[in-house]
Amino acid sequence: MLEIESVHRQYGAERALDDVSARLRRGELTVLIGRSGAGKTTLLRCLDGLETPDSGTITADDEPLATTDAALVFQSGALVSGKSVLENVLDGALGREPAWRELLGWHTPAEKRAAIDRLHDVGLGGYASRSVEQLSGGEQQRVGIARALQQQPAVLLADEPVASLDPETARAVLSVLARAVRERELIGLVSLHQPRLAADVADHYLGLADGRLVLDKPARSVDETTLAEVYADG
Amino acid sequence: MADDDRTDRRQKAGNRETAGSGDKVTVDAEFEQVQQQWRRRLAGRVGLVAGVSVGVLVAARWLGFDLVYLYAHRGNLIDVLFGEMLAPEALWTQLQGDGPMLASAAVETLAIAAVGTALGLPVALLLGVLAANTVTPPTVRRPVRLLLGGLRAVPSMVYALLFVILAGLGAVAGALAIAIGTIGDLGRLFADEMEEIDETPVEAVRSTGAGLVSATAAARLPQVASAYLAWTLFYLEINARKSSVLGIVGAGGLGFPLIMAFRARNYTRVMAVVLTILVLVVSVETVANWLRGRLKGGRRADR
């Protein structure tokens, strides 16, 4: 269980997150919706540990959520070019490995095998040695997911992971994410711009408007009108 | 019921996912493959490091590197260094005596660097833009790149010696040598910088019907302007350093007293000149850094 307890985050005069509280359950994929600038990215970055809330707490199973326990999938893959697919996935383990290993490019066989396993999980069997520049947008995003899984997180976050993909590819990438959350019993939170895509994968919805939480409902009690209201707000 | 529907769709999506990717290789097979590649690469790297090390050692031997000889003769350098160059009192007297001469030579060095950079800059700008593969076709770019490469191949000292024939002994020859060196180096840097820019705004501008020159002026130069300015300031620094030794071959500035002091084995004076060069170069660098800082600050304030 991930508990977000009255989290505030302010940039200058702008309130990016205003008293946000929510609970997310294991094995469930929660979709975070809201207009641009509503605070979705800020919330995800606070959960990932890239930013610290000005006040409020974030706990997983009653312990403060550690950076190494939360993995974030970025919008456009955010892969390191010049490295192979495998090396990018191995980056997911950087938080628990000593720095000299990365300096020498030396990884344990166990980590490498796990990374290849992750790649097969996201449907990229046989891709390990390719360079990331050769990949399509959808494939890059799958590598991003594999890297996040390599981190062995308890919480899997994704910030508009399909924003730059065509609908069909987007659907495929989302289902990879959803499957990872369910099979590994992770706590999943994904921000999405397209409610229609969200309907395929969402177990639960959170909606933000102007930094405030305006929607917190299970997917079965949410219809298109409810979602439209989140975007109409403010 | 709605829930079941959802699960159903999910499973379908999941199936398509695995079917689409088609696991042709097993994890084990791919792991073996990766390990093999890694072992090969490791062997290659170890071989490379060993090879380069042996090569450097052999070359050093061939040059006559002999650490035993160097150690045996350490006294020569130590005597000069600590007896004459780093002797505070003698150095102070020397600096007081040579002060006016050193000051005027330093100003001359600075002027050579400034005039040389200013003369070279417009030509470097023109040739740099012409040498960028995003701007000109190969028929133009290749000869220009060749010219720039040729200019770079000749050391500034050689240009200085050549221009002494043209302009006589003195600062003019130095400034011309600096200008030619600046064209070769800055031209190349400008061209490389130009090739790195985002071409989509250029296409946007060209789609309005703009020609090559106006598109370059409208969409390319603004993208590189601050980088070009930063490189130019960096070259002013480098040129101050360069022009302080051109005097060795008679092209004006601090190099002349430097070589004369060496010839007279007056190492205290050598140290006085070296100190002056140090102060000059550090000052130019400080001013250039300050200007670069203002530049960045200005750009940020614009936003």
Side-chain angles (χ1 to χ4, degrees), chain B residues 30-45:
Chain B
E30 197 170 4
F31 176 67
E32 260 324 301
Q33 219 176 315
V34 162
Q35 286 297 75
Q36 257 174 28
Q37 281 171 357
W38 177 73
R39 274 184 224 115
R40 237 178 291 140
R41 207 173 307 152
L42 188 69
R45 278 184 197 165

Side-chain angles (χ1 to χ4, degrees), chain A residues 2-7 17 20 42-49 51-53 55-66 155:
Chain A
L2 179 73
E3 287 182 79
I4 303 165
E5 200 58 56
S6 42
V7 162
L17 291 177
V20 172
T42 308
L43 179 59
L44 289 165
R45 289 173 65 88
C46 283
L47 291 171
D48 189 54
E51 282 183 41
T52 317
S55 67
T57 56
I58 296 163
T59 54
D61 298 330
D62 300 322
E63 299 269 329
L65 181 62
V155 180

Side-chain angles (χ1 to χ4, degrees), chain B residues 228-249:
Chain B
Y228 279 17
L229 250 164
W231 279 122
T232 305
L233 286 172
F234 183 55
Y235 257 78
L236 194 63
E237 267 174 62
I238 289 185
N239 287 342
R241 231 180 315 253
K242 264 194 199 167
S243 56
S244 56
V245 292
L246 285 182
I248 290 174
V249 296

Side-chain angles (χ1 to χ4, degrees), chain A residues 86 105-106 109 112-113 116-117 120 123 125-129 142 168 172 175-176 179 182 199-200 202-203 219-220, chain B residues 3 6 9-10 13-14 16-18 21-28 30-35 37-38 41-42 45:
Chain A
L86 182 72
W106 192 83
K112 280 194 254 188
R113 182 186 279 275
I116 293 169
D117 227 350
H120 281 251
Y127 276 63
S129 306
R142 285 172 197 234
E168 200 52 28
S175 82
V176 168
R179 197 145 44 94
R182 290 188 186 109
D200 285 350
D203 296 307
R220 75 183 101 79
Chain B
D3 244 350
R6 204 185 298 279
R9 242 182 317 175
R10 236 176 249 148
R16 189 179 53 222
E17 197 46 43
T18 25
S21 62
D23 279 2
K24 289 158 207 141
V25 228
T26 64
V27 174
D28 287 328
E30 197 170 4
F31 176 67
E32 260 324 301
Q33 219 176 315
V34 162
Q35 286 297 75
Q37 281 171 357
W38 177 73
R41 207 173 307 152
L42 188 69
R45 278 184 197 165

Side-chain angles (χ1 to χ4, degrees), chain B residues 7-292:
Chain B
T7 329
D8 226 40
R9 242 182 317 175
R10 236 176 249 148
Q11 267 164 0
K12 257 185 231 151
N15 286 339
R16 189 179 53 222
E17 197 46 43
T18 25
S21 62
D23 279 2
K24 289 158 207 141
V25 228
T26 64
V27 174
D28 287 328
E30 197 170 4
F31 176 67
E32 260 324 301
Q33 219 176 315
V34 162
Q35 286 297 75
Q36 257 174 28
Q37 281 171 357
W38 177 73
R39 274 184 224 115
R40 237 178 291 140
R41 207 173 307 152
L42 188 69
R45 278 184 197 165
V46 169
L48 186 71
V49 171
V52 168
S53 307
V54 169
V56 168
L57 281 176
V58 168
R61 260 336 274 182
W62 180 72
L63 285 173
F65 246 87
D66 184 349
L67 292 178
V68 178
Y69 176 91
L70 293 178
Y71 187 71
H73 291 75
R74 67 192 182 283
N76 293 357
L77 186 60
I78 290 173
D79 284 350
V80 168
L81 210 58
F82 293 99
E84 297 179 52
M85 294 182 81
L86 296 173
E89 273 169 43
L91 186 60
W92 182 238
T93 325
Q94 189 77 40
L95 276 172
Q96 280 175 323
D98 291 348
M101 180 271 286
L102 287 175
S104 78
V107 171
E108 192 178 52
T109 301
L110 195 61
I112 292 172
V115 172
T117 311
L119 284 178
L121 181 62
V123 187
L125 192 60
L126 179 70
L127 294 183
V129 172
L130 288 177
N133 66 12
T134 44
V135 184
T136 53
T139 43
V140 177
R141 185 202 329 144
R142 291 222 181 95
V144 175
R145 284 247 173 200
L146 199 67
L147 173 68
L148 290 175
L151 289 179
R152 276 198 311 279
V154 182
S156 288
M157 282 289 190
V158 176
Y159 285 124
L161 282 166
L162 271 173
F163 285 122
V164 165
I165 302 172
L166 173 71
L169 284 173
V172 177
L176 287 170
I178 291 289
I180 300 292
T182 303
I183 294 170
D185 288 353
L186 265 190
R188 163 72 188 277
L189 289 168
F190 284 175
D192 288 353
E193 198 75 51
M194 182 66 91
E195 290 178 356
E196 296 292 313
I197 60 164
D198 182 4
E199 281 293 314
T200 38
V202 181
E203 285 206 322
V205 170
R206 293 212 75 154
S207 76
T208 66
L212 181 70
V213 176
S214 26
T216 302
R220 288 197 177 98
L221 288 177
Q223 289 194 60
V224 291
S226 57
Y228 279 17
L229 250 164
W231 279 122
T232 305
L233 286 172
F234 183 55
Y235 257 78
L236 194 63
E237 267 174 62
I238 289 185
N239 287 342
R241 231 180 315 253
K242 264 194 199 167
S243 56
S244 56
V245 292
L246 285 182
I248 290 174
V249 296
L254 283 161
F256 187 66
L258 183 68
I259 192 68
M260 292 319 272
F262 262 114
R263 290 217 177 111
R265 290 176 195 270
N266 183 350
Y267 295 112
T268 313
R269 177 172 269 174
V270 167
M271 191 62 208
V273 180
V274 168
L275 263 183
T276 314
I277 293 176
L278 193 82
V279 170
L280 176 76
V281 169
V282 170
S283 316
V284 172
E285 214 176 294
T286 310
V287 172
N289 280 340
W290 177 76
L291 279 173
R292 264 192 294 268

